[in-house]
């Protein structure tokens, strides 16, 4: 497994939010973490990328123990994180947002061109400030920025939140394209059950900081997932 969280406990200050959660993300596939608001999904991702200290348990990446490693070192190893909120530099143009990440990389221009092929909607928005883009456009830009770092593990937190259905489909197709190419895994936190299961080969349900159910993805799993989440 490319990324593995083993009996991880973490939280904020003295408040423990994740109580011994374990998940595995394959090197060339997608694992989805689902759960209600407040279940601890974002907290789990922040522990995976090193933004929160793991108080107990282990984070393994590509066979190495990265539990105590700084976030910047994890990025150099191949982790990329796209947090909630379609984050970008609002006063920079779309092109400048991509260029900031590409600067200093040997394949910088080529990587930008590859991102514009993956997200063709951005081609007509290169001179527009990121702060003026729609939510779906900003999300595509945020994912493109992360992919320019050439990660081997992409971590996405609620990529479809507040986004129109047509863009949701584009993001789903992009995730599928990337994993089918090989060489990259995806850890996905998602509220839209249908989207998550279509994208993921394995799912985990997080409830009150604990993994309460897991299984294989695919549309056929939706009924059992909804039952497990008591929707």
């Amino acid at each position: 497994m490319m990324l593995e969280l083993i009996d991880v406990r973490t939280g904020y200050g003295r408040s423990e939010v994740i109580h011994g959660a374990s998940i595995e993300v394959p090197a060339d596939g997608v694992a989805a973490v689902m759960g209600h608001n407040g279940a601890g999904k974002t907290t789990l991702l922040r522990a995976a990328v090193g933004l929160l200290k793991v108080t107990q348990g282990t984070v393994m990446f590509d066979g190495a123990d990265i539990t105590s490693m700084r976030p910047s070192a994890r990025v150099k190893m191949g982790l990329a994180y796209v947090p909630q909120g379609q984050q970008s530099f609002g006063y920079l143009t779309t092109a400048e947002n991509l260029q900031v990440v590409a600067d200093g990389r040997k394949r910088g221009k080529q990587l930008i061109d590859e991102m514009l092929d993956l997200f063709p909607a951005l081609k007509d928005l290169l001179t527009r400030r990121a702060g003026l883009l729609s939510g779906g456009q900003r999300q595509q830009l945020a994912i493109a920025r992360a992919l320019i770092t050439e990660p081997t593990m992409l971590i996405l937190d609620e990529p479809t939140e507040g986004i129109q259905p047509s863009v949701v489909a584009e993001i789903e197709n992009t995730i599928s394209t990337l994993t089918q190419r090989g060489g990259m895994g995806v850890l996905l936190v998602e509220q839209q059950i249908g989207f998550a299961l279509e994208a993921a080969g394995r799912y985990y349900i997080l409830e009150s900081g604990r993994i309460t159910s897991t299984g294989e993805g695919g549309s056929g799993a939706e009924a059992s997932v909804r039952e497990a989440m008591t929707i």
Side-chain angles (χ1 to χ4, degrees):
M1 293 296 168
M2 176 67 78
L3 179 65
E4 188 174 9
L5 278 66
I6 307 166
D7 296 327
V8 164
R9 292 178 178 269
T10 188
Y12 304 90
R14 295 183 180 180
S15 177
E16 185 175 270
V17 177
I18 301 298
H19 314 291
S22 297
I23 63 172
E24 296 178 346
V25 188
D28 297 317
V30 183
V33 178
M34 294 175 284
H36 297 295
N37 288 332
K41 302 185 299 297
T42 294
T43 301
L44 187 66
L45 295 192
R46 287 172 62 85
V49 298
L51 295 174
L52 279 178
K53 181 180 179 181
V54 171
T55 56
Q56 187 175 316
T58 307
V59 181
M60 301 290 295
F61 181 49
D62 201 17
D65 185 343
I66 64 169
T67 310
S68 302
M69 192 175 288
R70 293 178 179 273
S72 57
R74 301 185 196 205
V75 170
K76 289 180 180 179
M77 286 187 67
L79 278 178
Y81 176 47
V82 181
Q84 283 179 285
Q86 303 114 33
Q87 296 187 12
S88 60
F89 296 114
Y91 286 98
L92 298 183
T93 66
T94 297
E96 289 168 341
N97 266 274
L98 297 173
Q99 190 63 53
V100 162
V101 186
D103 279 347
R105 296 186 175 274
K106 292 181 179 179
R107 296 199 314 120
K109 185 181 184 303
Q110 182 181 347
L111 288 166
I112 290 176
D113 290 341
E114 289 175 6
M115 292 309 104
L116 295 177
D117 288 338
L118 271 178
F119 299 102
L122 297 179
K123 291 181 179 180
D124 296 329
L125 303 168
L126 290 174
T127 60
R128 187 175 300 179
R129 285 186 178 182
L132 300 178
L133 302 181
S134 70
Q137 292 163 347
R138 286 197 306 273
Q139 187 63 281
Q140 291 179 81
L141 177 57
I143 296 173
R145 282 163 46 87
L147 290 173
I148 286 175
T149 67
E150 299 184 277
T152 52
M153 180 62 58
L154 179 64
I155 299 178
L156 301 172
D157 192 356
E158 302 278 11
T160 69
E161 183 181 35
I163 292 177
Q164 59 268 40
S166 60
V167 180
V168 170
E170 289 178 18
I171 292 174
E172 182 178 349
N173 289 336
T174 300
I175 292 173
S176 176
T177 298
L178 292 169
T179 53
Q180 286 174 8
R181 286 180 183 176
M184 191 181 79
V186 177
L187 173 56
L188 170 70
V189 155
E190 183 54 58
Q191 288 276 22
Q192 292 196 32
I193 294 174
F195 170 85
L197 292 176
E198 282 294 332
R202 174 156 293 274
Y203 71 83
Y204 298 87
I205 295 176
L206 190 67
E207 184 176 342
S208 300
R210 293 179 171 85
I211 300 295
T212 57
S213 181
T214 185
E216 294 184 0
S219 56
E222 185 165 347
S224 58
V225 167
R226 290 188 178 276
E227 182 179 356
M229 293 177 63
T230 62
I231 294 177

